[in-house]
Amino acid sequence: MSFTETIGSRTYRFADLKTLMAKASPQRSGDQLAGVAAASEEERVAAKMALALVPLRTFLNEALIPYESDEVTRLVIDDHSPQAFAEISHLTVGDFRNWLLSTTTDADALTRITAGLTPEMVAAVSKLMRNQDLITAARKRPVITRFRNTVGLPGHMSVRLQPNHPTDDVKGIAASMLDGLMYGCGDAMIGINPASDNLAAITKLLLMIDDFRQRYQVPTQSCVLTHVTNTIAAIEKGAPVDLVFQSIAGTEKANAGFGISLALLQEAYEAGLSLKRGTVGNNLMYFETGQGSALSADAHFGVDQQTCEVRAYAVARKFNPFLVNTVVGFIGPEYLYDGKQITRAGLEDHFCGKLLGVPMGCDICYTNHAEADQDDMDNLLTLLGVAGINFIMGIPGADDVMLNYQSTSFHDALYVRDVLGLRRAPEFEEWLESMQITDSRGALLSASTHQPLLEGARDWMGIE
């Protein structure tokens, strides 16, 4: 099916739905690199106008990546619920935008239609929305998950404590972990990106965090971000695995580049469930994504990078994840060139994930060769806080010394909590108060009151 739109005396023609979607995307360097972006702002506007008139039903009849050759497409189509779709089946993409922004469309309505939405529908409507639209609609759609605590409640925001170390030094990681806990971070999880990917090193880190968690009865969850096959092996050897991690993408070929398939993710999910380590729930998968991953693997098939990204959320929701993290600026300026593109992508990812029922967080970040700085990250942090983000990152000084990129710090989490009145996961906040780290309102107490935890931690770490 082709599409046309006339502006003035010029008529723009778009060969198929895939081309129309790409041309309607906001400007970003990755689509330009792939050769799928609009050639001008006028062409982009024409594509948006044409896209607004496309019936949502079209996305069920015209696959951007063929059903026969891609298991993600098969997942999307096979899992689609006609019953959930019925409420909005008469709408065009433009009508759908208006429906989402209507004051009568609430969380219950958005929850009812979740199983009827495909990632392509959601990506399409996001291309018609301003930043404030993305914030407004995402804020309406909380996604709540549970393992040892509860993440995603309205009015709450959690933090993944990321205590990475360039040599996986256990004491160095433990020191960063304690630092973050003293700032009230860590309710999303304590998650380590290991410098070494061997099973012995991974198990050592898992044992360290679990020993600390049990000793101080911390109601949080741990994760060592290794390949899913390593996690399965660790589970088989009896390691204390809480959350099961994997990077995912939106096409079968891109996922193959990560060394995974839907069947392997199912195996990992079942392995995690078999441990029964959750106390308040059993959401246990942790996925990371990023716009541009399919393009970097030459596995995008001419689909724009944002639509590929949203297809990854369909993969994620299949496995009832605890957290999904769009690592928005990490892949680099080849895909998101500057602070403006990173900001837009972060808001898109959060909106699209929430609409698909995925518990979205964001690593609000950039690499040092991007045209971005910490002020850009402050802006995105604030916007995502308003939008109802499930979690952000907490990194010492906002500078990851192992991965060499810039993210958000423990102090940044305090800032956004203060200005927006956001609380932590309730079980974690109760623990912080019991440890005299925060008061009943969630505000940090003076460091002098933290002596019980600090003194005990010194003994635990073997520090004189």
Side-chain angles (χ1 to χ4, degrees):
M1 180 186 297
S2 62
F3 305 86
T4 62
E5 186 64 45
T6 300
I7 297 180
S9 60
R10 182 165 185 177
T11 298
Y12 290 89
R13 292 180 172 82
F14 308 98
D16 52 27
L17 188 57
K18 176 169 60 177
T19 302
L20 180 65
M21 293 272 282
K23 301 291 188 183
S25 294
Q27 184 178 19
R28 59 206 56 198
S29 53
D31 289 340
Q32 292 171 320
L33 181 66
V36 302
S40 67
E41 285 302 316
E42 185 173 280
E43 185 182 28
R44 182 171 289 112
V45 170
K48 288 177 185 286
M49 293 169 65
L51 183 60
L53 299 176
V54 174
L56 291 179
R57 288 186 179 276
T58 304
F59 294 93
L60 300 175
N61 300 321
E62 186 173 340
L64 304 191
I65 301 173
Y67 181 95
E68 297 76 15
S69 60
D70 187 272
E71 69 172 1
V72 177
T73 299
R74 293 194 290 276
L75 170 67
V76 168
I77 298 301
D78 294 349
D79 281 9
H80 180 259
S81 168
Q83 293 77 24
F85 182 59
E87 185 171 347
I88 57 169
S89 62
H90 62 289
L91 300 178
T92 65
V93 176
D95 294 332
F96 186 37
R97 172 190 175 274
N98 296 337
W99 184 85
L100 289 170
L101 296 175
S102 171
T103 55
T104 60
T105 300
D106 57 12
D108 288 341
L110 293 175
T111 302
R112 282 197 307 271
I113 68 166
T114 297
L117 295 175
T118 70
E120 290 82 2
M121 292 176 193
V122 174
V125 75
S126 75
K127 298 176 192 300
L128 305 184
M129 302 177 87
R130 295 169 57 184
N131 285 2
Q132 66 175 252
D133 299 338
L134 298 172
I135 292 168
T136 299
R139 187 175 176 84
K140 295 182 182 184
R141 180 52 167 107
V143 179
I144 300 166
T145 56
R146 296 176 173 87
F147 189 74
R148 284 199 192 91
N149 59 29
T150 306
V151 170
L153 293 166
H156 291 66
M157 183 196 75
S158 297
V159 177
R160 171 190 160 186
L161 204 173
Q162 182 170 300
N164 293 344
H165 192 280
T167 64
D168 288 340
D169 180 79
V170 172
K171 286 187 178 181
I173 290 171
S176 293
M177 181 176 68
L178 287 167
D179 188 27
L181 290 169
M182 292 304 170
Y183 281 102
C185 295
D187 50 339
M189 69 167 175
I190 299 171
I192 302 168
N193 300 86
S196 173
D197 214 26
N198 68 73
L199 191 57
I202 292 161
T203 302
K204 184 177 182 180
L205 295 175
L206 286 168
L207 288 168
M208 181 273 289
I209 300 175
D210 198 59
D211 179 62
F212 180 87
R213 182 190 62 78
Q214 292 195 59
R215 181 176 299 218
Y216 295 100
Q217 299 181 318
V218 190
T220 191
Q221 34 285 321
S222 65
C223 185
V224 174
L225 281 67
T226 185
H227 192 270
V228 68
T229 53
N230 287 335
T231 303
I232 292 171
I235 290 172
E236 290 172 348
K237 290 184 176 296
V241 172
D242 289 343
L243 304 186
V244 176
F245 164 78
Q246 184 55 49
S247 293
I248 57 173
T251 72
E252 180 178 347
K253 183 179 178 182
N255 282 326
F258 286 135
I260 62 167
S261 64
L262 296 180
L264 181 59
L265 292 177
Q266 183 67 35
E267 180 185 349
Y269 178 48
E270 292 173 1
L273 286 174
S274 72
L275 299 180
K276 299 180 180 179
R277 290 176 60 83
T279 55
V280 298
N282 60 2
N283 301 113
L284 55 81
M285 299 299 285
Y286 172 56
F287 295 118
E288 287 193 345
T289 67
Q291 288 194 27
S293 59
L295 174 58
S296 67
D298 191 26
H300 61 102
F301 303 100
V303 177
D304 67 273
Q305 69 179 39
Q306 189 244 344
T307 301
C308 282
E309 170 73 2
V310 185
R311 284 168 57 93
Y313 305 154
V315 175
R317 72 174 174 179
K318 177 68 174 177
F319 302 102
N320 303 312
F322 182 65
L323 307 168
V324 177
N325 182 21
T326 170
V327 192
V328 67
F330 183 74
I331 302 181
E334 298 83 3
Y335 306 96
L336 297 169
Y337 180 73
D338 56 16
K340 182 175 182 178
Q341 292 188 15
I342 291 170
T343 297
R344 173 70 190 190
L347 294 175
E348 287 171 349
D349 293 351
H350 177 250
F351 160 80
C352 292
K354 285 292 184 65
L355 218 57
L356 289 171
V358 170
M360 289 303 298
C362 184
D363 191 343
I364 301 161
C365 64
Y366 64 100
T367 56
N368 287 317
H369 62 310
E371 291 294 321
D373 59 27
Q374 209 64 47
D375 286 338
D376 295 311
M377 300 306 103
D378 286 351
N379 294 341
L380 179 53
L381 170 63
T382 306
L383 293 172
L384 286 171
V386 174
I389 193 82
N390 277 33
F391 73 100
I392 63 168
M393 311 301 284
I395 296 171
D399 184 0
D400 192 298
V401 296
M402 196 279 282
L403 293 174
N404 294 312
Y405 78 114
Q406 310 303 310
S407 185
T408 47
S409 71
F410 307 143
H411 302 79
D412 295 331
L414 291 178
Y415 147 72
V416 76
R417 289 193 196 286
D418 182 52
V419 298
L420 298 178
L422 301 173
R423 304 299 291 258
R424 302 168 182 86
E427 301 89 344
F428 189 79
E429 200 155 84
E430 183 179 342
W431 176 80
L432 290 173
E433 185 180 357
S434 74
M435 299 301 291
Q436 302 176 39
I437 295 172
T438 63
D439 63 19
S440 60
R441 298 172 294 112
L444 288 185
L445 296 171
S446 168
S448 63
T449 63
H450 302 164
Q451 291 305 311
L453 180 59
L454 287 175
E455 288 299 328
R458 286 193 185 98
D459 294 338
W460 172 72
M461 292 174 65
I463 298 173
E464 295 297 332

